[in-house]
Amino acid sequence: MEKYEVIVVGAGHAGVEAALAAARLGHKTLLATLSMDNIALMPCNPSVGGSAKGQLVREIDALGGQMGLSADQACIQMRLLNTGKGYAVHSLRAQADKPFYHTIVKEVVENQNNLDVKQLMIDKLLVEKDQVVGVEAETGEIFEAPCVILATGTYLRGKILYGEVQYMAGPNGQRSALKLTDSLRAAGLELMRFKTGTPARIDRRTLDYSKMTPQYGDPELQNFSFISTITHREQVPCYLTYTNNRTHDIIRKNLSRSCMFNGTIEGVGPRYCPSIESKIVRFADKDHHQLFLEPEGLRTNEVYVQGMSSSLPAEVQLEFMRTIPGLENCKMMRAGYAIEYDCLNPLQLKASLEHKEIKGLFSAGQSNGTSGYEEAAGQGLMAGINASRRLEGKEPLLLGRSDGYIGVLIDDLVTKGTDEPYRMMTSRAEYRLLLRSDNADLRLTQKGRDIGLVTDERYAAFTTKRDQITRALDLLGKKIITPNEENQAKIKAMGATELKYSISCAELLRRKEISYAKLAEAFQLEQLPSVVAEQVEIQIKYEGYIAKQKLEVARAMKMENKLLGDGIDYTQIKELSAEAAEKLQQRKPVSLGQASRISGVSPADVGVLAVYLEMQKRRGEHHGL
């Protein structure tokens, strides 16, 4: 019997971040994985980041997590998405060398102090008097710990399906955890059954790229991590092609053989990542769908067919792929498949990701009903942090909706729940102008430093950047440009209209045509690093919008600061609607703000709660409490 302080079950993206955080914060940690070859496995798309997901990676990095650094090292193409739109939705996306990403992270966890990595099948969660005490492996070995983090991904009773093929397995045919589900249910956990899927992998040597459109990375170097030392990157292209009516006809003729349509699959699938069968049925009027051919790595011939997730028989998948331009002679190396798995209903969790009824039990990642590597990693990091803080007798680190996308993600899960695999999107973040990818370090690095995850090296880089921004903003506000002949000529050369009166450089920079680089060159200002100049421009050009959103946050915080005690019996508040009383009693929100986001709790119900809190306050004051 071995004793630990934290045990993490599962070594995917959630488990890795959780284990590293706990170990780096000084706690003896066990990372249990079904296979040492599964550590940070990327079983689906060979990419990190993307719309909203890029923000999550930047936030993980700012707090002292690992994903951004590893993704930068494994990156074989980097692009900044949504550049035709505002800064609020700009997101980095990296094509990753999948085998290399796994190798990088495996090396990191194996060499982390305070962290043991073991290949184990965990069969039982051990709970005594509503307190987790450890886990039991299939070997009969017992590992004790006062904190256990479930990061089981899609392995809980994982079942792979395509065509007539069905077998119990995790992603890529790995072992499925068949016994842990029963143990979790016996402990009182409510589980759901979800489904996801993946497309075929095909041999790049059998593709005709001349019939496809190349998709290149950005020429200027970019990294996820704010402390990345990478200064050069050889990039490889992806390729764009399209399905056609012949493709669609083959799929339609075989729908009865698809697990998605013949009633074989019982799990709920992701709305925003549908199978090709679902696309053909839901968008019957479309005569084509785009596909991206993405290399799985530099040292493999496997190519991922993005947009072609399928649970049709292998021979049908090959048949319809060969109707696509450039894929006429393709050879399939792995068939696409659907996978069903068990996961927790996240409404059972607190905002700290600790279970409401079982002390010391945390859960993170796809085991909470989310989809995506980035969503998993963000939750894993927070679970590792909060398990550590629980051990230290400290209050948990809770990120609000105005703090980061991680805060939005967790609040959505524990407040609203989810009835399908949850995917983060920019539209879910109401304060997205404040939660930009470019300012994640300014928002969160100090928090990471305060809890002990941010290293001296990272903190020094952060404070240098922060001080440069502050100094530049101050100087721009003080330096006045007068409308003399020389200055007018400079302003006209920048494509802007001439001055009518003297203004500051900050006011001049608000003009759309003027960048900091142009301004610095014309008026002999300090040359700033590009990331600093970008921040200065954004803060000045968007100042009014940012101020407006900060006011919205301040108003919302008044609701968040009105706390609801654990002991409230909502069924006894007669003025509440029956639905509101039931849901409030079940979910026990911590604040009026959280209560207002629960589906079925109306503004009128929130008003009733506000009056109730005021009455309780007055009663307490009356009794001298």
Side-chain angles (χ1 to χ4, degrees):
M1 184 182 298
E2 291 189 63
K3 293 187 177 183
Y4 290 89
E5 291 179 282
V6 179
I7 295 172
V8 181
V9 182
H13 303 282
V16 160
E17 294 290 351
L20 287 173
R24 287 168 176 172
L25 289 170
H27 300 288
K28 187 182 178 185
T29 303
L30 169 64
L31 178 59
T33 175
L34 285 168
S35 168
M36 295 297 289
D37 298 324
N38 279 14
I39 294 171
L41 180 71
M42 302 174 83
C44 199
N45 56 308
S47 68
V48 175
S51 186
K53 295 169 179 280
Q55 279 87 332
L56 286 170
V57 181
R58 278 277 174 89
E59 292 176 359
I60 292 163
D61 181 72
L63 286 165
Q66 184 63 37
M67 176 173 266
L69 284 164
S70 299
D72 286 343
Q73 286 182 264
C75 177
I76 57 178
Q77 185 195 109
M78 186 77 82
R79 294 180 69 188
L80 184 63
L81 307 183
N82 303 323
T83 53
K85 301 176 182 177
Y87 282 101
V89 294
H90 288 188
S91 304
L92 273 181
R93 183 181 189 272
Q95 286 297 135
D97 185 318
K98 289 171 69 167
F100 189 37
Y101 186 91
H102 154 74
T103 301
I104 291 165
V105 179
K106 185 171 186 283
E107 182 179 10
V108 170
V109 297
E110 286 182 356
N111 289 284
Q112 175 61 52
N113 292 335
N114 300 317
L115 180 58
D116 290 345
V117 187
K118 296 180 184 289
Q119 183 165 299
L120 295 165
M121 169 71 80
I122 301 301
D123 281 351
K124 290 183 182 177
L125 179 72
L126 304 178
V127 179
E128 293 178 4
K129 297 179 181 178
D130 299 328
Q131 165 69 56
V132 72
V133 294
V135 297
E136 182 178 332
E138 66 178 347
T139 57
E141 294 172 276
I142 290 176
F143 301 90
E144 292 186 344
C147 286
V148 172
I149 301 171
L150 298 175
T152 52
T154 59
Y155 290 85
L156 278 184
R157 283 201 314 129
K159 184 178 184 181
I160 284 179
L161 311 98
Y162 57 100
E164 291 76 34
V165 176
Q166 297 182 39
Y167 54 94
M168 301 303 288
N172 290 355
Q174 299 284 348
R175 294 183 70 190
S176 177
L178 299 177
K179 295 183 179 179
L180 186 54
T181 285
D182 290 339
S183 174
L184 297 178
R185 285 204 171 108
L189 276 68
E190 180 189 346
L191 300 181
M192 309 181 292
R193 188 84 170 155
F194 277 2
K195 167 264 170 190
T196 189
T198 193
R201 285 18 168 223
I202 53 182
D203 190 331
R204 70 174 176 83
R205 296 170 298 175
T206 63
L207 304 179
D208 184 354
Y209 287 123
S210 69
K211 295 182 179 180
M212 308 180 208
T213 306
Q215 305 287 301
Y216 298 104
D218 294 338
E220 59 276 2
L221 184 96
Q222 298 188 80
N223 291 306
F224 280 115
S225 177
F226 294 100
I227 59 166
S228 179
T229 57
I230 294 170
T231 57
H232 177 73
R233 180 179 290 122
E234 292 291 339
Q235 302 197 76
V236 299
C238 299
Y239 289 86
L240 173 65
T241 187
Y242 296 89
T243 64
N244 53 60
N245 285 325
R246 287 175 58 216
T247 319
H248 300 182
D249 286 343
I250 292 169
I251 292 170
R252 288 191 190 97
K253 288 174 185 175
N254 288 279
L255 281 176
S256 62
R257 301 181 70 191
S258 167
C259 301
M260 285 294 296
F261 287 87
N262 62 16
T264 307
I265 288 180
E266 55 181 292
V268 181
R271 178 191 307 263
Y272 300 105
C273 189
S275 67
I276 190 65
E277 298 97 286
S278 296
K279 291 180 187 177
I280 301 305
V281 172
R282 284 167 54 186
F283 308 106
D285 57 321
K286 292 195 69 171
D287 59 7
H288 68 276
H289 293 277
Q290 67 179 17
L291 305 172
F292 290 96
L293 280 293
E294 302 178 347
E296 295 250 308
L298 298 179
R299 298 163 188 84
T300 176
N301 289 329
E302 288 189 81
V303 174
Y304 181 90
V305 189
Q306 175 75 266
M308 190 62 90
S309 176
S310 178
S311 61
L312 282 162
E315 70 272 15
V316 176
Q317 292 184 40
L318 186 59
E319 182 185 2
F320 70 63
M321 282 194 295
R322 286 182 170 174
T323 66
I324 295 165
L327 278 66
E328 294 89 348
N329 299 305
C330 73
K331 290 184 178 180
M332 187 165 65
M333 301 177 77
R334 305 191 201 204
Y337 59 84
I339 182 168
E340 287 188 321
Y341 56 96
D342 293 337
C343 55
L344 275 69
N345 184 338
L347 291 175
Q348 300 166 93
L349 305 176
K350 302 174 186 177
S352 63
L353 295 179
E354 185 179 15
H355 195 274
K356 290 178 179 176
E357 305 298 333
I358 302 175
K359 298 180 183 69
L361 177 63
F362 294 77
S363 182
Q366 283 185 279
S367 55
N368 284 348
T370 60
S371 69
Y373 311 143
E374 304 82 2
E375 289 90 337
Q379 293 171 71
L381 178 64
M382 297 305 292
I385 289 169
N386 287 327
S388 299
R389 293 182 72 79
R390 189 182 200 286
L391 290 167
E392 296 161 11
K394 297 176 181 176
E395 289 296 312
L397 174 65
L398 304 179
L399 295 182
R401 299 183 72 89
S402 60
D403 293 320
Y405 275 72
I406 294 174
V408 174
L409 164 66
I410 293 174
D411 183 66
D412 278 354
L413 290 173
V414 304
T415 303
K416 303 174 184 177
T418 184
D419 55 8
E420 62 186 41
Y422 177 103
R423 177 179 178 174
M424 177 49 69
M425 296 179 290
T426 53
S427 59
R428 297 190 191 273
E430 61 269 40
Y431 307 123
R432 54 187 169 274
L433 183 56
L434 300 180
L435 309 182
R436 304 183 310 276
S437 177
D438 59 79
N439 72 351
D441 58 338
L442 300 176
R443 290 186 278 116
L444 297 174
T445 300
Q446 187 62 55
K447 291 180 185 291
R449 181 68 171 182
D450 292 343
I451 62 173
L453 265 186
V454 167
T455 62
D456 292 344
E457 174 199 8
R458 181 185 289 276
Y459 194 63
F462 161 70
T463 53
T464 298
K465 176 183 173 182
R466 182 189 60 191
D467 293 347
Q468 285 178 320
I469 293 167
T470 302
R471 186 172 66 250
L473 290 170
D474 183 57
L475 290 173
L476 287 170
K478 290 178 178 176
K479 187 173 178 65
I480 305 300
I481 307 298
T482 58
N484 60 39
E485 187 175 339
E486 181 185 357
N487 288 342
Q488 296 288 37
K490 290 177 178 179
I491 291 167
K492 194 172 181 180
M494 286 188 277
T497 56
E498 295 181 349
L499 298 180
K500 294 180 180 178
Y501 45 81
S502 296
I503 62 173
S504 69
C505 281
E507 290 176 279
L508 196 54
L509 187 53
R510 287 197 180 96
R511 297 187 179 187
K512 185 171 65 174
E513 308 87 356
I514 296 179
S515 66
Y516 182 86
K518 288 181 180 180
L519 203 61
E521 184 179 354
F523 298 105
Q524 292 77 53
L525 301 177
E526 179 185 3
Q527 294 295 326
L528 299 174
S530 59
V531 291
V532 175
E534 179 187 48
Q535 273 304 304
V536 169
E537 280 191 43
I538 292 170
Q539 291 191 33
I540 287 177
K541 290 182 185 293
Y542 286 79
E543 183 180 21
Y545 299 104
I546 291 171
K548 183 178 179 182
Q549 196 144 98
K550 285 182 176 178
L551 283 174
E552 293 173 11
V553 171
R555 284 195 292 269
M557 287 308 297
K558 291 178 180 178
M559 295 268 281
E560 300 300 327
N561 292 331
K562 292 182 177 178
L563 302 180
L564 298 165
D566 287 338
I568 297 176
D569 185 351
Y570 294 97
T571 62
Q572 298 303 307
I573 304 177
K574 300 292 189 287
E575 294 81 4
L576 288 172
S577 68
E579 182 183 6
E582 179 185 344
K583 290 187 173 179
L584 290 165
Q585 189 68 20
Q586 177 195 38
R587 302 185 190 181
K588 295 289 185 180
V590 297
S591 69
L592 207 56
Q594 188 182 15
S596 71
R597 294 189 292 276
I598 296 174
S599 175
V601 176
S602 69
D605 294 315
V606 173
V608 169
L609 288 178
V611 171
Y612 173 84
L613 286 178
E614 185 61 29
M615 289 174 63
Q616 292 295 100
K617 180 183 176 184
R618 290 178 182 176
R619 190 173 295 135
E621 290 173 351
H622 177 71
H623 291 289
L625 299 177

